[in-house]
Amino acid sequence: MGDKEEAMESNRVLTFDVGQRFIRHSVITDGRQDVPSSFATPTEDSQALFDGLANVVEQRRGDIDGIALSLPGFVDVRRQRIVVGGAINALYQQDIGVELRRRIGDDLPIWVENDANCVAIAEKYAGNARKLDDFVVFTVMDTGVGGALFLDGHIRRGRDWRAGELGMMITNYQMEGARSLHEFSSTNSLGHRYAAKFGGPADFVVPSSLMRRMNEPGVRELVEEWVRYIAVGIYNVVVTLDPECVLLGGPICQETAFLPLVREALAEIPNWKDFETPIKRCRNASYAGMLGAYYAFVHEVRGAGLTTAD
């Protein structure tokens, strides 16, 4: 057995994906994930959040060689610190590594990474970007648009850990001022558009279901208008970076109708014909955060000389 294979088999990593509603976790060994579990995210209580993470670590301590976390916001991977924690106020300016080691000791190595970056890392090592060195992940989520840049064979994190904040683009300044792409392209915004047009509370709208109701009067037009903003965001990224591929992530991107709608909206932009960058779905959907955190740990902490998975 070669050194690389031994290095890979020795890595049993407890991975966490910290989301706005739930914190999911599982142990991943040699790229193989065990059955995940979860607990509710204490979005306002930092102590409860770190205590919850530490409790899971203590339950699995004998089975793991390290810990990796996928986290929202601006993540300083060097200092293991969250600068801004997105919608989770409990993470705001928190020293993740310090807080965890205070509870679990210093014997387990820890790696922290931005959640969108984890999606890109998962795609690079076990997804649809295994043969690529330059690609962009564009995620469409409930509260906004996320992104990650994998350029020249590496994640581009930026000077202040803010690279890939694609949702902060301003795409309609003349009509809407400085409102960001988040406000136009989140799935929540699609729900609000539907409620405004057809009545009823937006909270009762399931945006992904609209992808399966395109034949109903007025629905296709509403969805196509929403998708155009996503297409403009993708176009702006492509003409700036000229990547080999753009990968679309987020639950709604897995809907069968979504990708063709995006491609049609891009084709309506006159200069798209000069680029026509491949647009694909992410291969890893539900567990991309944990899988990406695992590969980030092995690559950054263990330095195992990772190759892409078959």
Side-chain angles (χ1 to χ4, degrees), residues 232-290:
V232 168
I234 293 171
Y235 174 84
N236 288 343
V237 171
V238 166
V239 300
T240 302
L241 300 175
D242 191 24
E244 297 173 86
C245 182
V246 176
L247 296 173
L248 303 180
I252 202 166
C253 298
Q254 300 301 314
E255 294 292 330
T256 302
F258 183 81
L259 186 56
L261 285 170
V262 170
R263 288 172 173 163
E264 290 169 10
L266 283 166
E268 292 175 359
I269 301 174
N271 290 329
W272 179 247
K273 66 181 183 299
D274 298 324
F275 294 88
E276 293 191 343
T277 300
I279 311 294
K280 302 178 181 179
R281 295 185 186 89
C282 289
R283 177 180 178 182
N284 301 291
S286 299
Y287 303 115
M290 288 183 287

Side-chain angles (χ1 to χ4, degrees), residues 96-284:
I96 305 296
V98 171
E99 293 296 336
L100 280 179
R101 290 186 179 89
R102 184 178 296 161
R103 291 165 171 80
I104 66 172
D106 298 327
D107 57 317
L108 290 169
I110 299 171
W111 185 258
V112 300
E113 185 60 85
N114 167 267
D115 50 6
N117 287 349
C118 282
V119 175
I121 293 167
E123 290 301 307
K124 173 60 181 176
Y125 291 110
N128 289 335
R130 287 170 290 176
K131 297 181 180 181
L132 306 179
D133 286 326
D134 292 89
F135 65 93
V136 173
V137 168
F138 192 104
T139 58
V140 183
M141 308 300 290
D142 290 348
T143 57
V145 172
L149 312 178
F150 199 99
L151 305 174
D152 300 323
H154 302 281
I155 284 288
R156 184 67 52 82
R157 297 185 177 94
R159 182 195 65 182
D160 293 319
W161 317 101
R162 300 178 185 186
E165 287 296 318
L166 306 183
M168 297 303 295
M169 286 189 286
I170 298 171
T171 56
N172 193 359
Y173 188 83
Q174 185 174 6
M175 298 296 295
E176 299 288 349
R179 294 177 67 193
S180 71
L181 191 62
H182 286 309
E183 299 179 68
F184 299 109
S185 297
S186 69
T187 54
N188 284 348
S189 74
L190 177 58
H192 285 288
R193 286 169 183 265
Y194 182 89
K197 184 171 184 175
F198 295 101
D203 291 345
F204 291 172
V205 180
V206 180
S208 60
S209 71
L210 301 181
M211 297 287 142
R212 302 186 290 274
R213 296 166 52 191
M214 302 285 280
N215 292 327
E216 296 181 17
V219 173
R220 173 173 285 275
E221 292 80 3
L222 182 143
V223 172
E224 286 178 342
E225 181 183 2
W226 173 74
V227 167
R228 286 190 192 101
Y229 276 101
I230 295 172
V232 168
I234 293 171
Y235 174 84
N236 288 343
V237 171
V238 166
V239 300
T240 302
L241 300 175
D242 191 24
E244 297 173 86
C245 182
V246 176
L247 296 173
L248 303 180
I252 202 166
C253 298
Q254 300 301 314
E255 294 292 330
T256 302
F258 183 81
L259 186 56
L261 285 170
V262 170
R263 288 172 173 163
E264 290 169 10
L266 283 166
E268 292 175 359
I269 301 174
N271 290 329
W272 179 247
K273 66 181 183 299
D274 298 324
F275 294 88
E276 293 191 343
T277 300
I279 311 294
K280 302 178 181 179
R281 295 185 186 89
C282 289
R283 177 180 178 182
N284 301 291

